[in-house]
Amino acid sequence: MVKAGSNGGGTGTGRGRSPRGQGEFLRRDILAAVHRLLAEWGGIEKLTVRAVAAEVGVSAPSIYLHFADKTELLWAALASRYEDLASRMAADDAAAASRGARERLRAQAHAYCRFGLAHPGHYRLMFEVRQPEVDAARISRHPARQVSGNLREAFGRCREEGYGLAMPVEQAAHTLWAGLHGSVSLTHSLFDDSSLDGLLLDVADGLLDALVAPAPGADRAWPSAAANPVSLRIRSIAALGPAPGQAPATDADSPEQAGR
C-alpha cells in the first residue's frame, strides 16, 4: 500500500502493469486510493486522476483504462456509500410492509435521517460537497439515483393504495428528499447534540404529513397529482420517461418550454 504524502499525492512506487486478467484488482486498488484521499482531504477539490495514479503507484493512462474521467472515478468510489444508504432505506421499508404504504415511506425517511446522523463524514461527501459538473444527460446515471428511486417507488405505492398526494410522485419524492437533506445538513452545521436526533425524525414526519393524506380516500381536499411543469422537469433530469398516463412531451410542452 502506498501511503499518501502530506501534499495529498501518493509517493508513487511505480507499480507494474497488472497481469492479464487481473485488471479488476487494479480497479479495486484505484477505488481504495480514492477513498483514502477523500478521507484525508475531506473533499474532492484536490482530487485528480494524476493524484489517484500517484497514490496507487501507476501512470495516469492506467487509470483511464478503467474510468473515463474524474467524474466516473468519483461516482464509482462513492457508489458503495449510496448503495449502503439505499439498502438501509429498503430494509426498513420492507420491515414496515405490514403497516401499509404510508408507513413504509415513513420508515424510508427515518432511515435516511439516521444514516445522515450516524455517518456525517460519508454524508458530506455524498450530498454536501460540490461534485464535478456534468452534462444534463449524464446526471441520471449518478449513484444517488438509488436513493431517489426508493422514494419514488414508496410514493407510487401510496398512490396505488389510494392515498392522496400533494403533488405528482416524482415531485413529491424530490420534495421529501430535499427536505430531509436540508434537515440533516442543518443538524450537521448548527447542532452537536444527540438529544436533537428525535427532532429530526419529527421534522421528517411533518414533511410526510404535508405530502401524503393521512388515510386512503381521506376527506381532505388534496390537489390533483397530475403532471405539471415541475414534475416533468424532474422526470426529464432523472430520465424517467413520460409520467403515468401522460403522453410523451412535444417541443411545445417540453419541461423547458412549459417552465417559461
Side-chain angles (χ1 to χ4, degrees):
M1 179 183 297
V2 180
K3 184 175 178 60
S6 59
N7 64 351
T11 56
T13 58
R15 168 181 173 152
R17 183 185 182 92
S18 297
R20 183 181 296 275
Q22 294 189 18
E24 188 58 33
F25 291 106
L26 175 56
R27 178 185 172 87
R28 179 197 62 196
D29 290 348
I30 292 170
L31 294 178
V34 175
H35 282 296
R36 289 196 299 273
L37 293 176
L38 290 176
E40 177 182 344
W41 294 329
I44 68 168
E45 293 80 6
K46 295 191 290 183
L47 186 72
T48 64
V49 171
R50 190 176 298 277
V52 174
E55 176 73 9
V56 179
V58 298
S59 63
S62 296
I63 306 293
Y64 287 117
L65 290 174
H66 296 270
F67 304 97
D69 55 22
K70 172 182 173 177
T71 296
E72 187 175 305
L73 176 61
L74 179 65
W75 288 3
L78 293 179
S80 63
R81 310 300 192 206
Y82 294 104
E83 289 169 2
D84 183 19
L85 171 55
S87 66
R88 291 168 188 249
M89 293 169 65
D92 285 7
D93 176 306
S98 64
R99 302 200 298 274
R102 197 174 191 273
E103 291 308 306
R104 294 177 70 175
L105 175 59
R106 187 192 310 278
Q108 284 205 36
H110 285 194
Y112 184 99
C113 293
R114 291 190 180 103
F115 178 92
L117 292 172
H119 305 282
H122 291 168
Y123 190 90
R124 180 174 182 272
L125 290 173
M126 293 162 65
F127 296 117
E128 296 175 359
V129 171
R130 179 72 177 178
Q131 296 195 12
E133 293 185 7
V134 296
D135 294 336
R138 192 175 177 188
I139 195 62
S140 64
R141 301 198 298 273
H142 192 286
R145 69 186 184 277
Q146 302 170 82
V147 176
S148 57
N150 277 359
L151 293 175
R152 285 193 297 270
E153 289 180 10
F155 273 103
R157 285 192 297 264
C158 287
R159 183 179 60 186
E160 291 168 2
E161 290 189 10
Y163 287 91
L165 301 182
M167 54 192 68
V169 165
E170 55 281 343
Q171 187 178 355
H174 193 82
T175 300
L176 178 59
W177 186 14
L180 297 176
H181 166 67
S183 296
V184 171
S185 293
L186 283 173
T187 301
H188 288 168
S189 300
L190 302 178
F191 306 110
D192 185 20
D193 183 353
S194 61
S195 68
L196 296 176
D197 293 358
L199 176 61
L200 184 59
L201 300 185
D202 290 340
V203 170
D205 289 343
L207 288 167
L208 188 148
D209 290 341
L211 294 169
V212 185
D219 292 336
R220 173 179 166 180
W222 287 82
S224 169
N228 58 34
V230 175
S231 66
L232 291 175
R233 178 62 174 166
I234 294 170
R235 294 191 71 83
S236 174
I237 293 172
L240 296 175
Q246 183 82 14
T250 64
D251 290 342
D253 61 8
S254 66
E256 290 76 11
Q257 294 287 339
R260 291 178 182 175

